[in-house]
Amino acid sequence: MKLQEIGEFGLIARIRKWMAASNPSLIQGIGDDAAVIDIGERGDKVVLVTTDILIEGIHFDRTWIDPYRLGKKSLFVNLSDIAAMGGTPKYFLISLGIPINLPFSFVSLFYRGLKDGAKKFQVDLIGGDTSLSKKVVINICLLGEGKRQNLLFRKGAQVGDDLYVSGTLGDAALGLKILRKKGLKKGPKGLVEKHLSPSPRIQLGKAIGKHHWATAMIDVSDGLLIDAKHLLEESKVGARIWEDRIPLSRIYQKWIHFYSKDRYQLALSGGEDYELLFTAPTQRRGKISALARSSKMITRIGEILPEREGFYIIKKDGKEYSPLRLGFEHFG
Ligand code: ADP
Ligand code: MG
């Protein structure tokens, strides 16, 4: 069988079956934004672990992103997975694959970005590994902590819950399209910057976890639809999303029609927003609006349905459709 036929997530599902975990202290293994391990501490403190890989030519291009931003971004995409659990990031390890001709200044600027990013979120680098390789390869493994009762998983969404998302969607994907077409110098800065310098929603994730309002959460890294689908699958539920409620930034609305006929396409299927997608019972609407006002923007975009009703989008004119191409998938 070809990998293309099973896709990235089909492959992960098989790995999950092959490698079923047996250690009783594992609270959450494969299948969420971070693994959760019980360390037997009083006060229900648990350890969170997540890892992400960035490969030159696949995730980034050295002609678009400078090493400083690349260093920060490498860390921030991992921080976003800890945010999605409602946890606090603490320590990380970094492994680098470095081509022989890479200038030393690239590595030193990369670490400067990494250092500033780490300082901002009070995380420490504690180790890593270094190897020669054909392309730049960056792998970070991030450790965090959280209180067990405050954590949010992909599973947990209940039929009747509201579906919310933070911030605006599609900016990073539109920024990437613009970078590909126009290069670094010419595009609208705001959109390009969203792609190059995402910001992880650590504070918001912790606030959502601490209040115990939400039932499930995931970060939007691959695209709203595909990440919503992961949450729905783990929770064994369906959902409907109202397309015209999807939060779009002003700058996205200004530029999208130059790049796509469909105004919502990149907001639905583009990746790298690093916003939080979560579910909460309808009785919490008032509290969540208050949180939305006091912190980052939060928008109610849909509702959770029984699994048999599936997953679909409702357009402004009332027409429904089930998304075919959900988002970015490696090998897909
Ligand atoms: P995210 O987008 O939040 O980083 P992924 O979709 O990459 O999550 O991964 C989903 C789940 O599968 C996570 O629990 C992750 O740790 C796990 N996973 C991904 N790739 C592998 C792999 N090659 N082997 C084992 N687990 C994997
Ligand atoms: Mg994630």
Side-chain angles (χ1 to χ4, degrees):
M1 200 191 316
K2 284 184 183 147
L3 281 177
Q4 256 173 331
E5 290 163 30
I6 57 173
E8 178 191 353
F9 300 111
L11 177 65
I12 294 173
R14 280 168 176 80
I15 294 172
R16 195 169 169 180
K17 270 198 196 137
W18 297 334
M19 306 299 289
S22 58
N23 205 313
S25 53
L26 186 68
I27 299 170
Q28 174 69 56
I30 296 175
D32 218 304
D33 294 295
V36 183
I37 302 163
D38 185 353
I39 44 166
E41 269 228 4
R42 274 187 298 149
D44 270 354
K45 205 186 251 184
V46 294
V47 168
L48 305 172
V49 195
T50 183
T51 187
D52 255 312
I53 192 162
L54 295 175
I55 297 177
E56 183 182 358
I58 305 284
H59 299 94
F60 65 92
D61 188 319
R62 271 197 267 156
T63 57
W64 304 331
I65 189 161
D66 56 285
Y68 179 86
R69 282 197 182 78
L70 183 62
K72 255 192 183 173
K73 183 170 176 176
S74 310
L75 178 61
F76 285 4
V77 300
N78 282 278
L79 291 173
S80 177
D81 278 322
I82 297 291
M85 307 297 294
T88 307
K90 286 281 178 185
Y91 302 104
F92 69 104
L93 298 123
I94 182 160
S95 297
L96 290 179
I98 302 178
I100 189 79
N101 57 357
L102 193 75
F104 167 74
S105 63
F106 184 96
V107 183
S108 62
L109 283 169
F110 177 89
Y111 271 84
R112 201 177 290 171
L114 202 59
K115 187 173 180 175
D116 286 352
K119 197 169 163 205
K120 183 165 180 200
F121 290 94
Q122 292 161 293
V123 292
D124 289 321
L125 178 62
I126 56 166
D129 199 9
T130 311
S131 166
L132 198 58
S133 70
K134 293 215 171 83
K135 301 257 177 195
V136 176
V137 178
I138 304 155
N139 172 238
I140 286 184
C141 174
L142 176 68
L143 296 165
E145 63 178 28
K147 276 195 179 162
R148 189 173 178 165
Q149 64 272 23
N150 292 357
L151 294 185
L152 282 160
F153 298 85
R154 293 179 180 181
K155 60 183 175 234
Q158 302 292 318
V159 173
D161 280 355
D162 291 319
L163 183 66
Y164 295 91
V165 72
S166 66
T168 57
L169 297 177
D171 304 71
L174 182 53
L176 176 61
K177 252 190 190 255
I178 293 170
L179 266 177
R180 284 206 164 120
K181 200 162 173 190
K182 297 192 160 191
L184 192 55
K185 296 268 148 58
K186 290 200 182 122
K189 244 185 145 215
L191 292 168
V192 169
E193 236 0 87
K194 273 269 184 110
H195 172 75
L196 299 176
S197 308
S199 37
R201 304 281 182 223
I202 292 288
Q203 288 310 326
L204 183 64
K206 275 169 76 170
I208 294 169
K210 208 173 69 188
H211 288 305
H212 298 158
W213 299 329
T215 48
M217 187 152 69
I218 187 170
D219 68 327
V220 182
S221 55
D222 293 334
L224 172 68
L225 297 181
I226 201 135
D227 287 314
K229 191 164 172 258
H230 292 321
L231 185 148
L232 301 177
E233 278 175 357
E234 293 299 323
S235 296
K236 301 192 170 59
V237 292
R240 67 164 71 93
I241 289 178
W242 296 284
E243 195 178 66
D244 61 333
R245 289 213 191 159
I246 290 173
L248 306 176
S249 69
R250 231 185 248 173
I251 187 161
Y252 175 98
Q253 296 182 57
K254 187 173 161 197
W255 284 85
I256 186 65
H257 61 275
F258 295 116
Y259 291 87
S260 174
K261 273 188 217 140
D262 181 346
R263 180 177 156 86
Y264 289 99
Q265 190 220 333
L266 285 180
L268 287 164
S269 307
E272 301 213 274
D273 296 307
Y274 299 106
E275 295 295 347
L276 297 176
L277 180 73
F278 64 98
T279 54
T282 52
Q283 306 91 281
R284 303 298 190 200
R285 276 183 198 171
K287 301 271 187 198
I288 290 168
S289 326
L291 178 68
R293 278 192 297 273
S294 70
S295 57
K296 294 280 168 195
M297 189 173 99
I298 295 171
T299 313
R300 182 159 59 87
I301 58 166
E303 63 188 11
I304 301 299
L305 304 172
E307 193 172 24
R308 65 185 137 76
E309 292 189 34
F311 177 32
Y312 57 91
I313 314 296
I314 304 181
K315 292 180 93 73
K316 204 172 181 178
D317 60 11
K319 283 200 186 113
E320 291 174 6
Y321 70 96
S322 277
L324 286 176
R325 174 136 184 82
L326 285 174
F328 189 78
E329 183 170 350
H330 290 274
F331 320 129

